Amino acid sequence: MEELKKLICISCPQGCTLEVTVEGKTVLKVDGESCKQGIEYAEQEITDPRRMIASTVQVKNGYHPLVPVYTKMPIPKNTIKNVLKELRKVELTAPVALGTVVIKNVLGTGIDVITSRDMPTRTAEQDHFLK
Amino acid sequence: MVLKNIYDVVVIGSGPGGLAAAVAAKKEGAEDVLVIERDMELGGILIQCIHNGFGVEIFKEDLPGPSYAQRFIKEVFSLGVEILLDTMVLDITPQRKIYASNKRLGFVEIEARSIVLAMGCRERSRPQIRIPGTRPVGVYTAGTAQRWVNVEGYMPGNRVVILGSGDIGMIMARRLTFEGAKVERVLEVMPYLTGLTRNYVQCLLDFDIQLQLRHTVKRVLGNNCVEAVEAVQVDEKWNPVPGSEEIIPCDTLLLSVGLIPENELSRKAGVKLDPITSGPYVDDNFQTNVPGIFAAGNVVHVYDLVDWVTEAGFQAGKCAAKYAIVTHRKESNYVPLIAGDNVRYIVPQKLDKRNLEENEIRLQMRVTQPIEQPVWIEVHDKENLVARKAERYVRPGEMVTVVLKQKNYKDVEKAENLTINIAPR
């Protein structure tokens, strides 16, 4: 049975409202997009919705206690919770470089979680403040 | 580090606007460029914006905030820009003298041939929106919570209500959910979303977080810590609707109720501020009314996208370098830009006609009211239409851009002022 679904494209900040005609998980028609990303998004969102995820992991002896990380590519929406669980188990040791793989092929998604900045070691000055 | 007495360009602030200005100034040929930052590291607020969505315009890549910042941090170092961290600028004079204090160097006095103000903005806080009720622990701005959760590693609370549907608020709703908190509600006093629609989808809808438009916090409850907030619906005149009150138990109230450009230093330097944007009046080179003092980024007006802040920083840095090197600028030939129908403000507020002869000029504005249908954005010189652009809709939360091209020079040259109107097509 044909069904009309309203989606909001998240590919860019414009946020076009898409009207997608679907039958089961097959996209028949997309209306309302202003570029081809809209069509790709609708297709992806109906068949296999995915999101980019950003979080943090602990880092020992770092300038900050956490280093930010993100999934290199969007991961399936239904894996988000478990990916976050995996990240809670990780602890790195400073110094850490930007782009360091934190978890390779996380939960078999084929996607790596990597750091999004350098994290230098804590400074003597910081240690002084903690004393 | 040994400070010089005089610099070609001094940039105040090292967020995306400041870093871009320093890079552009150096590339334009300014020899001595100094960035002064009050934090212990460069990058400004990008450091705590760990979510992705940055760089789509500039790098054609979807980067997290820290990665976006690091590209520019690397560049300022490789270009030989001097950096002064952990330093508070206390005062700037119209003659471009800068007074600052630093733990190691003490009180410092620096002269600048030109200055780029890139202090960014500050969040509106509880006293500024006057929320009644008790004053317990647990009421924070969304950005404060963001810093704690993403950089410093602790949670503001477990049950959260967020007031305001700005981008930082929505992004924090998702982030706190990721870290195990329950976001009970997002309340927005306006009848429309104030942040980007895509954040509504990926931060609220995805996690079944309820958004209530035309709702606000009537009062905060709790003695030592927040115990609940009382939410209420408001009518068209922003008056509470009797009987619509609801007690929402929570331990944290986050405020995402707007950003205000941070211009204490600008004021001291004699820079005139636009009461609508709360930022300096600037021309198309991002020069303020004080010769040699430029301003870029969220210190001028609040942008939706960091990429546009970077663009503004590039332009301001380049022009600041030119000013520092040449200084002898001919008398400018300005045309004021006037906000017409459904336009709240335009940046720049005025443009130098002769610049349009050489370069295109980007005009950025916000609308007063949403129009959810195709519109024309028209630039008029009295009755004469100078340029126009179609948009599919306009919303107060999403900035509108119109580019004046070199071919428009002929029309602009004749104009005494230019008015921009936005109306349904």
Side-chain angles (χ1 to χ4, degrees):
Chain A
M1 210 189 68
E2 279 189 28
E3 207 186 331
L4 190 70
K5 284 197 175 171
K6 275 204 170 178
L7 296 179
I8 296 164
C9 180
I10 59 169
S11 309
C12 86
Q14 202 171 331
C16 297
T17 304
L18 308 175
E19 293 193 347
V20 190
T21 317
V22 293
E23 193 171 341
K25 283 207 162 188
T26 317
V27 176
L28 301 175
K29 200 172 89 186
V30 182
D31 282 314
E33 84 284 0
S34 8
C35 73
K36 67 173 196 306
Q37 282 189 70
I39 297 170
E40 284 163 18
Y41 174 78
E43 192 80 42
Q44 184 78 50
E45 189 69 6
I46 299 294
T47 54
D48 171 25
R50 283 170 180 256
R51 295 289 184 266
M52 291 286 282
I53 293 303
S55 187
T56 51
V57 298
Q58 294 185 59
V59 57
K60 238 193 279 178
N61 201 30
Y63 183 81
H64 295 302
L66 303 171
V67 60
V69 299
Y70 69 113
T71 54
K72 230 174 157 178
M73 308 263 284
I75 56 166
K77 234 169 119 173
N78 57 16
T79 63
I80 293 176
K81 239 187 163 168
N82 290 329
V83 167
L84 290 167
K85 255 189 211 157
E86 291 302 309
L87 288 173
R88 270 183 215 120
K89 298 178 194 162
V90 177
E91 190 179 42
L92 305 176
T93 303
V96 180
L98 181 150
T100 303
V101 177
V102 175
I103 303 179
K104 205 172 167 52
N105 181 18
V106 63
L107 296 178
T109 53
I111 292 157
D112 297 347
V113 180
I114 61 171
T115 56
S116 59
R117 62 166 287 183
D118 290 348
M119 185 54 66
T121 46
R122 49 186 315 113
T123 61
E125 197 174 348
Q126 278 177 307
D127 288 334
H128 175 78
F129 273 120
L130 284 178
K131 268 173 206 163
Chain B
M1 160 181 185
V2 182
L3 269 185
K4 298 184 179 70
N5 292 327
I6 182 159
Y7 283 86
D8 290 324
V9 181
V10 175
V11 180
I12 320 286
S14 76
L19 291 174
V23 165
K26 205 71 189 182
K27 285 185 174 167
E28 191 63 26
E31 218 160 285
D32 299 317
V33 179
L34 174 72
V35 175
I36 307 180
E37 167 59 49
R38 68 180 166 196
D39 201 349
M40 307 286 281
E41 56 181 347
L42 297 175
I45 224 69
L46 282 171
I47 296 299
Q48 66 186 57
C49 297
I50 65 164
H51 54 280
N52 64 291
F54 302 94
V56 180
E57 303 256 325
I58 289 207
F59 298 118
K60 306 287 173 231
E61 273 180 69
D62 192 352
L63 298 170
S67 305
Y68 185 93
Q70 198 164 319
R71 292 196 180 193
F72 288 95
I73 293 169
K74 250 181 119 177
E75 205 173 359
V76 294
F77 279 114
S78 69
L79 287 169
V81 171
E82 290 179 40
I83 312 283
L84 202 49
L85 291 173
D86 195 13
T87 305
M88 194 71 190
V89 175
L90 305 169
D91 203 356
I92 301 175
T93 72
Q95 292 74 36
R96 299 188 301 281
K97 269 227 157 102
I98 297 163
Y99 300 99
S101 92
N102 170 297
K103 200 160 37 182
R104 276 166 296 273
L105 302 174
F107 182 75
V108 292
E109 195 180 322
I110 302 159
E111 209 174 305
R113 294 196 174 92
S114 70
I115 293 174
V116 180
L117 304 171
M119 292 88 75
C121 53
R122 209 180 275 166
E123 293 176 282
R124 200 170 271 138
S125 58
R126 179 172 178 183
Q128 284 156 307
I129 56 168
R130 300 191 192 98
I131 304 174
T134 54
R135 315 195 75 76
V137 171
V139 182
Y140 313 108
T141 62
T144 299
Q146 191 181 41
R147 167 97 195 169
W148 289 350
V149 176
N150 292 346
V151 179
E152 297 182 13
Y154 47 97
M155 290 282 281
N158 299 315
R159 296 182 75 183
V160 186
V161 170
I162 298 175
L163 177 60
S165 62
D167 289 316
I168 317 171
M170 292 196 283
I171 282 162
M172 279 316 289
R174 172 177 63 180
R175 186 74 190 107
L176 289 164
T177 307
F178 278 3
E179 293 300 335
K182 171 93 176 71
V183 178
E184 303 286 349
R185 202 76 55 87
V186 177
L187 305 167
E188 170 58 59
V189 73
M190 303 302 281
Y192 48 80
L193 198 71
T194 57
L196 298 175
T197 320
R198 74 162 172 175
N199 283 332
Y200 171 62
V201 176
Q202 56 187 357
C203 298
L204 303 188
L205 276 187
D206 272 5
F207 302 98
D208 298 319
I209 298 168
Q210 198 190 342
L211 168 72
Q212 284 181 305
L213 299 174
R214 277 200 196 286
H215 277 71
T216 191
V217 172
K218 192 177 168 189
R219 65 192 168 114
V220 176
L221 296 113
N223 288 322
N224 297 319
C225 297
V226 173
E227 284 163 24
V229 298
E230 187 176 341
V232 69
Q233 195 186 336
V234 295
D235 63 18
E236 286 77 18
K237 288 177 183 146
W238 298 51
N239 293 318
V241 176
S244 68
E245 293 86 354
E246 180 193 353
I247 302 282
I248 308 172
C250 60
D251 58 23
T252 307
L253 172 64
L254 295 188
L255 307 176
S256 176
V257 288
L259 302 167
I260 305 164
E262 191 174 338
N263 278 292
E264 285 79 3
L265 284 174
S266 320
R267 247 182 244 119
K268 288 183 177 178
V271 170
K272 271 197 202 127
L273 303 183
D274 181 337
I276 297 175
T277 58
S278 311
Y281 285 103
V282 289
D283 67 15
D284 52 303
N285 288 335
F286 289 107
Q287 186 167 213
T288 67
N289 64 299
V290 181
I293 300 188
F294 297 76
N298 279 357
V299 79
V300 176
H301 66 143
V302 179
Y303 286 81
D304 300 344
L305 285 191
V306 73
D307 302 65
W308 296 340
V309 170
T310 298
E311 297 274 8
F314 281 153
Q315 175 75 2
K318 185 178 138 186
C319 298
K322 273 189 184 160
Y323 185 96
I325 299 163
V326 196
T327 327
H328 59 75
R329 235 180 119 62
K330 281 181 284 175
E331 186 71 6
S332 297
N333 197 356
Y334 284 123
V335 190
L337 291 163
I338 296 167
D341 300 340
N342 201 30
V343 179
R344 199 156 76 86
Y345 73 79
I346 307 157
V347 168
Q349 287 89 348
K350 60 181 180 179
L351 61 86
D352 189 340
K353 291 175 183 175
R354 285 168 327 177
N355 287 341
L356 189 59
E357 232 180 331
E358 295 152 26
N359 300 300
E360 55 180 44
I361 294 176
R362 187 190 299 212
L363 312 179
Q364 292 184 304
M365 65 207 76
R366 283 192 191 277
V367 297
T368 315
Q369 290 297 328
I371 302 179
E372 295 289 343
Q373 67 181 83
V375 294
W376 282 123
I377 298 143
E378 298 187 327
V379 184
H380 284 276
D381 165 24
K382 296 191 193 83
E383 265 64 69
N384 176 26
L385 181 68
V386 175
R388 74 171 175 180
K389 182 191 180 193
E391 284 285 358
R392 294 150 54 103
Y393 56 80
V394 285
R395 295 169 185 158
E398 299 176 18
M399 198 180 279
V400 179
T401 304
V402 178
V403 178
L404 286 180
K405 304 265 169 58
Q406 278 124 297
K407 68 171 190 209
N408 301 127
Y409 175 73
K410 263 193 191 150
D411 288 319
V412 173
E413 207 258 325
K414 287 181 288 189
E416 271 172 41
N417 54 53
L418 294 172
T419 304
I420 301 185
N421 298 315
I422 298 181
R425 228 139 86 186

